[in-house]
Amino acid sequence: DPRARLEAIATQSGADVLMARHLDADCLNMGLLYVRASSGTAQWYSRYLEWLHQHPFEREQRGINALLGFTGQKVSFAPTGLPSLKAIALDDSNEFASSRGGWLGDWD
């Protein structure tokens, strides 16, 4: 159960959102998503899901990357007035498995 480790990382970094990234691209991956419970994250995620529902031609992962400002990607009709959240990428080279390649860390 990774919850204790994810909560420790969120607390140490002050992050609201933790995600893994793709091994072959510099973007967040929806395969591992941790969202700290708060009124700000609830408002942000509710508005994100509303936007995604209204724009089904956009991919959920592209939306997360664009709306959290993790990449330079853009989306159509981005919602305005989203609360500011801090999102960080987890260490998917050594600590967390990635969607492509699995865990590639060093046992030592």
XYZ file of all heavy atoms in Angstrom:
844
model
N 0.843 -1.175 0.000
C 0.000 0.000 0.000
C 0.891 1.242 0.000
O 1.575 1.530 0.989
C -0.900 -0.031 1.226
C -1.885 1.113 1.284
O -1.829 2.014 0.430
O -2.708 1.106 2.196
N 0.922 1.993 -1.084
C 1.836 3.134 -1.202
C 1.346 4.426 -0.552
O 2.037 5.441 -0.616
C 1.948 3.313 -2.713
C 0.621 2.893 -3.223
C 0.207 1.740 -2.338
N 0.165 4.409 0.065
C -0.397 5.672 0.577
C 0.501 6.394 1.565
O 0.671 7.610 1.477
C -1.764 5.428 1.208
C -2.861 5.255 0.178
C -4.184 5.022 0.837
N -4.098 3.764 1.572
C -5.029 3.293 2.374
N -6.117 3.975 2.573
N -4.883 2.129 2.987
N 1.099 5.662 2.503
C 1.949 6.327 3.504
C 3.128 7.026 2.830
O 3.475 8.156 3.188
C 2.433 5.324 4.537
N 3.740 6.376 1.849
C 4.885 6.986 1.151
C 4.430 8.199 0.331
O 5.088 9.241 0.328
C 5.567 5.955 0.254
C 6.735 6.500 -0.519
C 7.887 6.934 0.382
N 8.953 7.501 -0.414
C 9.614 8.596 -0.118
N 9.366 9.244 1.009
N 10.550 9.049 -0.902
N 3.306 8.095 -0.345
C 2.800 9.218 -1.131
C 2.449 10.400 -0.232
O 2.757 11.551 -0.555
C 1.585 8.790 -1.958
C 1.884 7.812 -3.090
C 0.593 7.270 -3.677
C 2.743 8.453 -4.157
N 1.820 10.138 0.897
C 1.488 11.208 1.832
C 2.747 11.867 2.393
O 2.792 13.085 2.576
C 0.598 10.672 2.944
C -0.800 10.341 2.448
C -1.638 9.540 3.429
O -1.157 9.252 4.555
O -2.776 9.199 3.075
N 3.786 11.062 2.645
C 5.054 11.623 3.130
C 5.690 12.520 2.069
O 6.174 13.623 2.382
C 6.011 10.502 3.527
N 5.687 12.087 0.816
C 6.249 12.901 -0.269
C 5.453 14.199 -0.412
O 6.031 15.287 -0.558
C 6.262 12.114 -1.598
C 7.245 10.945 -1.515
C 6.606 13.032 -2.769
C 7.139 9.973 -2.673
N 4.121 14.108 -0.367
C 3.282 15.305 -0.492
C 3.554 16.278 0.647
O 3.657 17.491 0.435
C 1.812 14.902 -0.530
N 3.694 15.763 1.853
C 3.956 16.623 3.007
C 5.332 17.275 2.906
O 5.473 18.487 3.108
C 3.849 15.804 4.313
O 2.505 15.305 4.415
C 4.168 16.662 5.525
N 6.353 16.491 2.566
C 7.721 17.021 2.462
C 7.851 18.067 1.367
O 8.573 19.051 1.526
C 8.703 15.880 2.206
C 8.881 14.947 3.371
C 9.618 13.667 2.987
O 9.951 13.445 1.827
N 9.856 12.813 3.965
N 7.163 17.857 0.245
C 7.301 18.762 -0.899
C 6.266 19.880 -0.914
O 6.386 20.821 -1.686
C 7.188 17.960 -2.195
O 5.883 17.422 -2.317
N 5.231 19.756 -0.088
C 4.144 20.729 -0.111
C 3.279 20.618 -1.355
O 2.598 21.565 -1.731
N 3.302 19.449 -1.983
C 2.562 19.256 -3.233
C 1.112 18.878 -2.972
O 0.796 18.189 -2.010
C 3.229 18.179 -4.078
N 0.252 19.338 -3.863
C -1.159 18.974 -3.835
C -1.431 17.750 -4.697
O -2.353 16.987 -4.429
C -2.014 20.131 -4.372
C -1.850 21.386 -3.552
O -2.166 21.352 -2.356
O -1.375 22.395 -4.112
N -0.644 17.602 -5.761
C -0.841 16.525 -6.725
C 0.500 15.849 -6.984
O 1.509 16.523 -7.229
C -1.413 17.059 -8.060
C -1.571 15.951 -9.086
C -2.728 17.783 -7.832
N 0.507 14.515 -6.937
C 1.685 13.710 -7.271
C 1.316 12.796 -8.422
O 0.256 12.171 -8.399
C 2.120 12.844 -6.083
C 2.355 13.525 -4.743
C 2.658 12.473 -3.683
C 3.489 14.515 -4.845
N 2.186 12.723 -9.421
C 1.943 11.841 -10.559
C 3.261 11.272 -11.049
O 4.314 11.890 -10.878
C 1.266 12.605 -11.699
C -0.113 13.123 -11.344
S -0.875 14.053 -12.675
C -1.329 12.719 -13.772
N 3.182 10.108 -11.671
C 4.345 9.565 -12.374
C 4.403 10.248 -13.741
O 3.452 10.885 -14.170
C 4.213 8.054 -12.535
N 5.522 10.090 -14.411
C 5.615 10.619 -15.767
C 5.966 9.487 -16.717
O 6.314 8.410 -16.282
C 6.605 11.769 -15.868
C 8.038 11.397 -15.629
C 8.969 12.547 -15.943
N 9.365 13.210 -14.720
C 9.717 14.482 -14.662
N 9.722 15.212 -15.722
N 10.075 15.011 -13.528
N 5.865 9.749 -17.999
C 6.248 8.753 -18.998
C 7.761 8.647 -19.043
O 8.464 9.651 -18.925
C 5.747 9.157 -20.384
C 4.298 8.903 -20.596
N 3.783 7.646 -20.766
C 3.241 9.751 -20.650
C 2.484 7.721 -20.930
N 2.127 8.994 -20.856
N 8.253 7.433 -19.250
C 9.706 7.269 -19.393
C 10.218 7.887 -20.682
O 11.347 8.349 -20.744
C 10.074 5.784 -19.372
C 10.075 5.111 -18.010
C 10.381 3.631 -18.154
C 11.083 5.763 -17.091
N 9.387 7.888 -21.723
C 9.855 8.362 -23.021
C 9.325 9.746 -23.398
O 9.395 10.143 -24.540
C 9.506 7.342 -24.103
C 8.007 7.128 -24.241
O 7.251 7.625 -23.382
O 7.596 6.457 -25.199
N 8.783 10.468 -22.434
C 8.270 11.819 -22.710
C 8.288 12.624 -21.417
O 8.230 12.067 -20.335
C 6.855 11.744 -23.267
N 8.371 13.926 -21.553
C 8.386 14.792 -20.376
C 6.974 15.299 -20.092
O 6.665 16.471 -20.293
C 9.348 15.955 -20.582
C 9.579 16.718 -19.290
O 9.333 16.144 -18.209
O 9.995 17.885 -19.356
N 6.123 14.380 -19.664
C 4.759 14.750 -19.310
C 4.259 13.829 -18.203
O 4.797 12.752 -17.989
C 3.827 14.691 -20.519
S 3.622 13.044 -21.208
N 3.257 14.304 -17.494
C 2.663 13.512 -16.425
C 1.824 12.387 -17.006
O 1.281 12.500 -18.094
C 1.801 14.403 -15.537
C 2.545 15.523 -14.817
C 1.562 16.441 -14.113
C 3.541 14.962 -13.829
N 1.710 11.297 -16.246
C 0.984 10.115 -16.673
C -0.158 9.862 -15.698
O 0.046 9.873 -14.493
C 1.961 8.937 -16.698
C 1.310 7.657 -17.134
O 0.324 7.219 -16.562
N 1.877 7.044 -18.130
N -1.333 9.595 -16.207
C -2.501 9.362 -15.365
C -2.471 7.994 -14.677
O -3.375 7.675 -13.915
C -3.784 9.484 -16.193
C -4.038 10.873 -16.717
S -4.342 12.089 -15.429
C -5.982 11.672 -14.915
N -1.454 7.186 -14.917
C -1.379 5.853 -14.331
C -1.214 5.858 -12.827
O -1.642 4.930 -12.144
N -0.582 6.869 -12.274
C -0.452 7.015 -10.828
C -0.800 8.454 -10.490
O -0.109 9.383 -10.911
C 0.972 6.690 -10.367
C 1.154 6.541 -8.859
C 2.416 5.759 -8.564
C 1.119 7.815 -8.083
N -1.866 8.630 -9.754
C -2.357 9.965 -9.428
C -2.692 10.020 -7.945
O -3.474 9.224 -7.446
C -3.612 10.268 -10.258
C -4.390 11.528 -9.929
C -3.557 12.772 -10.201
C -5.680 11.577 -10.747
N -2.064 10.949 -7.239
C -2.355 11.209 -5.829
C -2.786 12.662 -5.729
O -2.071 13.564 -6.176
C -1.117 10.969 -4.959
C -1.281 11.433 -3.529
C -1.777 10.572 -2.559
C -0.948 12.726 -3.156
C -1.935 10.995 -1.243
C -1.106 13.160 -1.848
C -1.604 12.293 -0.896
O -1.760 12.708 0.405
N -3.956 12.904 -5.150
C -4.461 14.262 -4.950
C -4.721 14.438 -3.464
O -5.508 13.704 -2.874
C -5.756 14.514 -5.761
C -6.258 15.924 -5.525
C -5.522 14.259 -7.239
N -4.036 15.391 -2.863
C -4.217 15.675 -1.441
C -5.622 16.256 -1.225
O -6.059 17.126 -1.973
C -3.172 16.682 -0.978
C -3.218 16.966 0.516
C -2.337 18.132 0.879
N -0.945 17.939 0.571
C -0.012 17.642 1.474
N -0.342 17.507 2.728
N 1.233 17.488 1.110
N -6.310 15.771 -0.226
C -7.669 16.254 0.053
C -7.628 17.656 0.652
O -7.001 17.886 1.680
C -8.371 15.294 1.014
N -8.273 18.597 -0.034
C -8.407 19.966 0.469
C -9.532 20.632 -0.312
O -9.963 20.131 -1.354
C -7.104 20.758 0.297
O -6.895 21.077 -1.064
N -9.982 21.775 0.159
C -11.032 22.479 -0.570
C -10.514 22.955 -1.926
O -11.248 22.948 -2.916
C -11.559 23.661 0.247
O -10.523 24.576 0.535
N -9.235 23.336 -1.995
C -8.650 23.791 -3.259
C -8.555 22.681 -4.288
O -8.884 22.880 -5.458
N -8.109 21.493 -3.852
C -8.014 20.387 -4.807
C -9.405 19.901 -5.214
O -9.618 19.523 -6.362
C -7.184 19.207 -4.258
O -7.748 18.757 -3.033
C -5.734 19.592 -4.069
N -10.359 19.935 -4.290
C -11.729 19.531 -4.633
C -12.311 20.477 -5.677
O -12.939 20.043 -6.654
C -12.602 19.510 -3.383
N -12.087 21.784 -5.494
C -12.587 22.755 -6.463
C -11.880 22.575 -7.804
O -12.522 22.565 -8.855
C -12.385 24.176 -5.943
C -12.918 25.223 -6.890
C -12.620 26.640 -6.420
O -11.845 26.864 -5.508
N -13.246 27.600 -7.057
N -10.549 22.439 -7.784
C -9.788 22.284 -9.021
C -10.236 21.035 -9.764
O -10.531 21.093 -10.959
C -8.286 22.195 -8.725
C -7.452 22.286 -9.961
C -6.869 23.407 -10.455
C -7.125 21.227 -10.872
N -6.200 23.115 -11.621
C -6.342 21.786 -11.896
C -7.414 19.870 -10.926
C -5.850 21.031 -12.962
C -6.932 19.112 -11.991
C -6.158 19.691 -12.985
N -10.308 19.898 -9.066
C -10.633 18.634 -9.729
C -12.075 18.626 -10.231
O -12.354 18.095 -11.308
C -10.362 17.446 -8.808
C -9.822 16.265 -9.576
C -8.485 16.188 -9.913
C -10.670 15.245 -9.989
C -8.007 15.121 -10.635
C -10.190 14.170 -10.705
C -8.861 14.114 -11.036
O -8.366 13.064 -11.766
N -12.990 19.239 -9.503
C -14.377 19.341 -9.960
C -14.463 20.150 -11.248
O -15.160 19.775 -12.195
C -15.253 19.979 -8.891
O -15.365 19.148 -7.780
N -13.744 21.252 -11.299
C -13.741 22.091 -12.510
C -13.037 21.390 -13.656
O -13.449 21.515 -14.809
C -13.077 23.444 -12.223
C -13.729 24.190 -11.080
C -14.418 25.485 -11.324
N -14.325 26.129 -12.584
C -13.564 27.195 -12.844
N -12.793 27.718 -11.918
N -13.599 27.744 -14.031
N -11.972 20.641 -13.366
C -11.278 19.856 -14.397
C -12.220 18.801 -14.986
O -12.316 18.660 -16.205
C -10.031 19.199 -13.794
C -9.490 18.058 -14.625
C -8.820 18.303 -15.816
C -9.663 16.738 -14.231
C -8.336 17.260 -16.590
C -9.184 15.700 -14.985
C -8.521 15.961 -16.166
O -8.051 14.917 -16.931
N -12.932 18.049 -14.132
C -13.847 17.019 -14.620
C -15.010 17.629 -15.409
O -15.444 17.059 -16.419
C -14.365 16.174 -13.455
C -13.328 15.265 -12.810
C -13.909 14.585 -11.577
C -12.784 14.238 -13.798
N -15.489 18.779 -14.978
C -16.539 19.476 -15.725
C -16.025 19.864 -17.110
O -16.700 19.655 -18.123
C -16.984 20.717 -14.956
C -18.040 21.534 -15.667
C -18.398 22.796 -14.893
O -17.636 23.210 -14.002
O -19.448 23.370 -15.197
N -14.811 20.425 -17.170
C -14.198 20.797 -18.443
C -14.018 19.562 -19.329
O -14.352 19.582 -20.522
C -12.848 21.481 -18.194
C -12.034 21.622 -19.435
C -12.135 22.615 -20.368
C -11.028 20.726 -19.897
N -11.243 22.389 -21.388
C -10.551 21.234 -21.122
C -10.480 19.556 -19.394
C -9.555 20.601 -21.851
C -9.487 18.913 -20.117
C -9.037 19.441 -21.330
N -13.518 18.467 -18.773
C -13.281 17.246 -19.546
C -14.603 16.699 -20.096
O -14.673 16.264 -21.248
C -12.575 16.204 -18.679
C -12.126 14.928 -19.379
C -11.140 15.234 -20.502
C -11.501 13.976 -18.366
N -15.656 16.748 -19.297
C -16.967 16.280 -19.744
C -17.488 17.134 -20.902
O -18.106 16.623 -21.837
C -17.957 16.313 -18.574
C -19.333 15.881 -18.943
N -19.659 14.565 -19.178
C -20.472 16.591 -19.134
C -20.941 14.483 -19.499
N -21.457 15.701 -19.476
N -17.236 18.435 -20.859
C -17.713 19.341 -21.898
C -16.835 19.320 -23.147
O -17.232 19.844 -24.189
C -17.806 20.767 -21.357
C -18.874 20.924 -20.306
C -18.837 22.290 -19.647
O -17.926 23.094 -19.865
N -19.834 22.554 -18.820
N -15.635 18.757 -23.035
C -14.697 18.714 -24.164
C -14.172 17.287 -24.332
O -12.981 17.011 -24.123
C -13.545 19.694 -23.923
C -14.014 21.097 -23.741
N -14.344 21.609 -22.503
C -14.271 22.068 -24.636
C -14.756 22.847 -22.656
N -14.725 23.150 -23.929
N -15.051 16.359 -24.731
C -14.660 14.946 -24.795
C -13.592 14.643 -25.851
O -13.009 13.562 -25.832
C -15.975 14.227 -25.111
C -16.817 15.260 -25.781
C -16.430 16.564 -25.145
N -13.305 15.589 -26.721
C -12.265 15.387 -27.722
C -10.868 15.583 -27.138
O -9.877 15.247 -27.777
C -12.465 16.343 -28.908
C -12.660 17.779 -28.496
C -11.564 18.602 -28.297
C -13.933 18.285 -28.286
C -11.739 19.918 -27.905
C -14.118 19.602 -27.903
C -13.017 20.420 -27.710
N -10.765 16.131 -25.948
C -9.473 16.286 -25.280
C -9.165 15.026 -24.470
O -10.069 14.389 -23.948
C -9.491 17.490 -24.331
C -9.612 18.811 -25.026
C -8.310 19.297 -25.659
O -7.329 18.540 -25.719
O -8.303 20.456 -26.097
N -7.915 14.676 -24.346
C -7.517 13.532 -23.530
C -7.323 13.981 -22.089
O -6.849 15.076 -21.825
C -6.206 12.936 -24.047
C -6.400 12.230 -25.381
C -5.250 11.336 -25.738
N -5.035 10.340 -24.703
C -3.827 10.016 -24.234
N -2.753 10.601 -24.703
N -3.698 9.109 -23.299
N -7.690 13.133 -21.145
C -7.584 13.485 -19.729
C -6.141 13.802 -19.344
O -5.879 14.718 -18.574
C -8.165 12.378 -18.843
C -7.302 11.176 -18.598
C -7.158 10.208 -19.769
O -7.824 10.358 -20.798
O -6.344 9.290 -19.659
N -5.196 13.061 -19.889
C -3.781 13.270 -19.548
C -3.269 14.595 -20.108
O -2.541 15.314 -19.432
C -2.979 12.103 -20.099
C -1.570 12.049 -19.602
C -0.974 10.694 -19.891
O -1.378 9.703 -19.314
N -0.021 10.661 -20.803
N -3.652 14.926 -21.315
C -3.260 16.218 -21.903
C -3.845 17.363 -21.072
O -3.190 18.373 -20.829
C -3.740 16.294 -23.346
C -3.369 17.559 -24.057
C -3.928 17.519 -25.482
N -3.692 18.740 -26.175
C -2.668 18.972 -26.977
N -1.780 18.044 -27.175
N -2.538 20.125 -27.579
N -5.096 17.201 -20.637
C -5.726 18.220 -19.809
C -4.994 18.436 -18.498
O -4.750 19.574 -18.091
N -4.642 17.352 -17.834
C -3.900 17.459 -16.567
C -2.576 18.185 -16.786
O -2.205 19.080 -16.035
C -3.661 16.058 -15.955
C -4.944 15.522 -15.335
C -2.540 16.066 -14.954
C -5.302 16.097 -13.977
N -1.826 17.791 -17.816
C -0.538 18.420 -18.096
C -0.694 19.907 -18.383
O 0.064 20.729 -17.880
C 0.150 17.715 -19.269
C 0.873 16.470 -18.860
O 1.965 16.533 -18.318
N 0.260 15.320 -19.080
N -1.669 20.253 -19.206
C -1.869 21.657 -19.579
C -2.400 22.483 -18.413
O -1.885 23.569 -18.133
C -2.825 21.739 -20.767
N -3.413 21.982 -17.724
C -4.066 22.789 -16.692
C -3.250 22.896 -15.410
O -3.414 23.853 -14.658
C -5.463 22.239 -16.409
C -6.410 22.251 -17.623
C -7.755 21.639 -17.266
C -6.573 23.646 -18.188
N -2.371 21.924 -15.167
C -1.463 22.054 -14.021
C -0.181 22.788 -14.397
O 0.659 23.070 -13.553
C -1.109 20.668 -13.450
C -2.218 19.959 -12.681
C -1.776 18.561 -12.276
C -2.634 20.769 -11.453
N -0.022 23.100 -15.693
C 1.149 23.838 -16.147
C 2.423 23.022 -16.111
O 3.515 23.579 -16.038
N 2.297 21.700 -16.199
C 3.493 20.859 -16.135
C 4.257 20.872 -17.452
O 5.461 20.790 -17.470
C 3.115 19.423 -15.752
C 4.297 18.567 -15.419
C 4.893 18.657 -14.172
C 4.836 17.691 -16.338
C 5.988 17.887 -13.858
C 5.940 16.921 -16.034
C 6.511 17.020 -14.786
N 3.536 20.960 -18.549
C 4.170 21.020 -19.868
C 3.667 22.264 -20.589
O 2.777 22.959 -20.112
C 3.807 19.776 -20.720
O 2.399 19.796 -20.965
C 4.202 18.485 -20.032
N 4.193 22.495 -21.751
C 3.741 23.611 -22.577
C 2.535 23.259 -23.426
O 2.145 24.044 -24.290
N 1.949 22.094 -23.180
C 0.777 21.695 -23.955
C -0.377 22.662 -23.716
O -0.499 23.247 -22.645
C 0.333 20.280 -23.581
C 1.316 19.218 -23.981
C 0.893 17.845 -23.487
O 0.528 17.687 -22.339
N 0.953 16.863 -24.359
N -1.227 22.786 -24.707
C -2.415 23.633 -24.621
C -3.649 22.773 -24.849
O -3.578 21.721 -25.466
C -2.371 24.746 -25.674
C -1.143 25.635 -25.571
C -1.199 26.476 -24.337
C 0.014 27.392 -24.286
N 0.393 27.769 -22.967
N -4.783 23.245 -24.358
C -6.062 22.581 -24.581
C -7.065 23.601 -25.082
O -6.879 24.806 -24.909
C -6.594 21.901 -23.293
C -5.714 20.740 -22.877
C -6.741 22.905 -22.169
N -8.121 23.104 -25.676
C -9.178 23.980 -26.176
C -10.056 24.473 -25.033
O -10.443 23.682 -24.168
C -10.060 23.213 -27.169
O -9.295 22.754 -28.251
N -10.326 25.748 -25.034
C -11.278 26.344 -24.092
C -10.927 26.022 -22.635
O -11.769 25.558 -21.871
C -12.701 25.892 -24.411
C -13.068 26.081 -25.852
C -13.109 25.002 -26.718
C -13.351 27.348 -26.353
C -13.422 25.180 -28.058
C -13.669 27.528 -27.682
C -13.705 26.436 -28.534
N -9.687 26.254 -22.266
C -9.257 25.990 -20.890
C -10.105 26.787 -19.907
O -10.424 27.959 -20.154
C -7.787 26.368 -20.720
N -10.496 26.176 -18.807
C -11.293 26.899 -17.813
C -10.468 28.016 -17.172
O -9.257 27.908 -17.043
C -11.661 25.823 -16.788
C -10.665 24.740 -16.968
C -10.216 24.802 -18.395
N -11.134 29.062 -16.781
C -10.450 30.176 -16.124
C -10.727 30.108 -14.628
O -11.698 29.500 -14.181
C -10.932 31.517 -16.683
O -12.343 31.618 -16.496
C -10.598 31.637 -18.165
N -9.864 30.741 -13.866
C -10.072 30.853 -12.427
C -9.850 29.580 -11.637
O -10.392 29.440 -10.542
N -9.062 28.656 -12.178
C -8.754 27.447 -11.414
C -7.873 27.804 -10.219
O -6.963 28.634 -10.341
C -8.002 26.426 -12.276
C -8.792 25.702 -13.354
C -7.851 24.884 -14.224
C -9.846 24.819 -12.741
N -8.092 27.184 -9.069
C -7.179 27.412 -7.943
C -5.769 26.966 -8.322
O -5.591 26.044 -9.119
C -7.737 26.520 -6.829
C -9.105 26.146 -7.239
C -9.157 26.248 -8.730
N -4.784 27.594 -7.771
C -3.395 27.229 -8.033
C -3.029 26.003 -7.186
O -3.237 25.994 -5.979
C -2.483 28.402 -7.683
O -1.150 28.060 -7.936
N -2.522 24.972 -7.858
C -2.085 23.760 -7.173
C -0.624 23.502 -7.494
O -0.150 23.850 -8.571
C -2.892 22.540 -7.625
C -4.391 22.529 -7.383
C -4.993 21.209 -7.875
C -4.714 22.744 -5.919
N 0.074 22.870 -6.563
C 1.444 22.463 -6.815
C 1.436 20.983 -7.178
O 0.976 20.144 -6.396
C 2.322 22.682 -5.585
C 3.776 22.271 -5.810
C 4.642 22.539 -4.606
C 6.075 22.108 -4.884
N 6.933 22.322 -3.710
N 1.926 20.670 -8.371
C 2.009 19.288 -8.840
C 3.464 18.924 -9.060
O 4.236 19.738 -9.579
C 1.234 19.122 -10.145
N 3.846 17.736 -8.640
C 5.211 17.281 -8.874
C 5.188 15.878 -9.473
O 4.243 15.118 -9.274
C 6.085 17.299 -7.604
C 5.565 16.318 -6.557
C 6.193 18.693 -7.036
C 6.554 16.087 -5.422
N 6.234 15.575 -10.215
C 6.414 14.243 -10.777
C 7.167 13.384 -9.779
O 8.134 13.836 -9.164
C 7.179 14.325 -12.091
N 6.710 12.166 -9.602
C 7.374 11.221 -8.703
C 8.637 10.676 -9.347
O 8.816 10.753 -10.563
C 6.413 10.077 -8.378
C 5.183 10.492 -7.577
C 4.128 9.396 -7.606
C 5.573 10.819 -6.145
N 9.496 10.111 -8.551
C 10.738 9.502 -9.032
C 10.400 8.150 -9.655
O 10.402 7.126 -8.988
C 11.725 9.338 -7.870
C 12.999 8.631 -8.278
O 13.213 8.399 -9.488
O 13.780 8.292 -7.377
N 10.098 8.164 -10.950
C 9.748 6.913 -11.608
C 10.964 6.219 -12.216
O 10.834 5.210 -12.889
C 8.652 7.109 -12.649
C 8.970 8.198 -13.651
O 10.076 8.737 -13.606
O 8.095 8.505 -14.467
N 12.132 6.731 -11.960
C 13.339 6.023 -12.362
C 13.741 4.998 -11.314
O 14.271 3.942 -11.646
C 14.499 7.001 -12.569
O 14.228 7.856 -13.628
N 13.527 5.320 -10.033
C 13.994 4.438 -8.974
C 12.919 3.980 -7.997
O 13.014 2.890 -7.466
C 15.101 5.132 -8.161
C 16.351 5.281 -8.955
O 16.926 4.312 -9.397
N 16.765 6.516 -9.173
N 11.906 4.799 -7.735
C 10.979 4.458 -6.657
C 9.620 3.957 -7.125
O 9.032 3.086 -6.505
C 10.777 5.664 -5.738
C 10.033 5.315 -4.485
C 10.072 6.407 -3.433
O 10.595 7.512 -3.700
O 9.582 6.159 -2.338
N 9.094 4.507 -8.219
C 7.763 4.137 -8.694
C 7.841 3.580 -10.103
O 8.606 4.060 -10.921
C 6.827 5.342 -8.663
C 6.557 5.832 -7.274
C 7.338 6.822 -6.704
C 5.538 5.279 -6.527
C 7.104 7.263 -5.418
C 5.288 5.700 -5.238
C 6.085 6.694 -4.674
N 7.038 2.576 -10.387
C 7.011 1.976 -11.717
C 6.384 2.944 -12.714
O 5.517 3.734 -12.370
C 6.218 0.676 -11.697
N 6.817 2.858 -13.952
C 6.278 3.689 -15.013
C 5.417 2.839 -15.934
O 5.512 1.613 -15.941
C 7.424 4.318 -15.812
O 6.906 5.076 -16.878
N 4.592 3.514 -16.728
C 3.707 2.795 -17.643
C 4.471 2.090 -18.755
O 3.988 1.141 -19.329
C 2.700 3.763 -18.254
O 3.363 4.727 -19.045
N 5.650 2.562 -19.055
C 6.461 1.933 -20.103
C 7.791 1.505 -19.491
O 8.537 2.327 -18.986
C 6.713 2.895 -21.239
C 5.440 3.228 -21.958
C 5.744 3.945 -23.244
N 4.495 4.174 -23.935
C 4.111 5.344 -24.384
N 4.870 6.387 -24.248
N 2.968 5.476 -24.989
N 8.038 0.239 -19.521
C 9.320 -0.257 -19.045
C 9.268 -0.768 -17.621
O 10.196 -1.406 -17.169
N 8.192 -0.485 -16.890
C 8.108 -0.941 -15.502
C 9.091 -0.202 -14.620
O 9.432 0.944 -14.858
N 9.575 -0.876 -13.599
C 10.542 -0.262 -12.694
C 11.944 -0.501 -13.236
O 12.341 -1.632 -13.505
C 10.402 -0.857 -11.298
C 11.360 -0.252 -10.313
C 11.294 0.977 -9.787
C 12.511 -0.876 -9.752
N 12.334 1.197 -8.922
C 13.100 0.064 -8.897
C 13.117 -2.119 -9.907
C 14.250 -0.199 -8.171
C 14.264 -2.374 -9.199
C 14.813 -1.422 -8.344
N 12.694 0.552 -13.406
C 14.035 0.456 -13.964
C 15.097 0.888 -12.962
O 16.213 1.205 -13.328
C 14.143 1.328 -15.226
C 13.155 0.974 -16.340
C 13.273 1.954 -17.484
C 13.367 -0.446 -16.830
N 14.749 0.903 -11.717
C 15.661 1.370 -10.682
C 16.790 0.406 -10.377
O 16.930 -0.651 -10.980
N 17.568 0.789 -9.406
C 18.715 0.005 -8.967
C 18.393 -0.589 -7.603
O 17.984 0.140 -6.690
C 19.928 0.950 -8.862
C 21.195 0.224 -8.492
O 21.157 -1.004 -8.252
O 22.235 0.890 -8.445
N 18.543 -1.887 -7.441
C 18.234 -2.544 -6.177
C 19.104 -2.046 -5.046
O 18.749 -2.128 -3.891
C 18.383 -4.064 -6.308
C 17.305 -4.672 -7.129
C 17.442 -5.156 -8.407
C 15.943 -4.844 -6.782
N 16.245 -5.637 -8.874
C 15.311 -5.455 -7.897
C 15.179 -4.557 -5.671
C 13.947 -5.764 -7.884
C 13.823 -4.879 -5.686
C 13.240 -5.469 -6.770
N 20.247 -1.527 -5.359
C 21.150 -1.028 -4.320
C 20.810 0.391 -4.071
O 21.149 1.198 -3.483
C 22.612 -1.196 -4.731
C 22.938 -2.659 -4.965
O 22.459 -3.497 -4.201
O 23.669 -2.939 -5.930
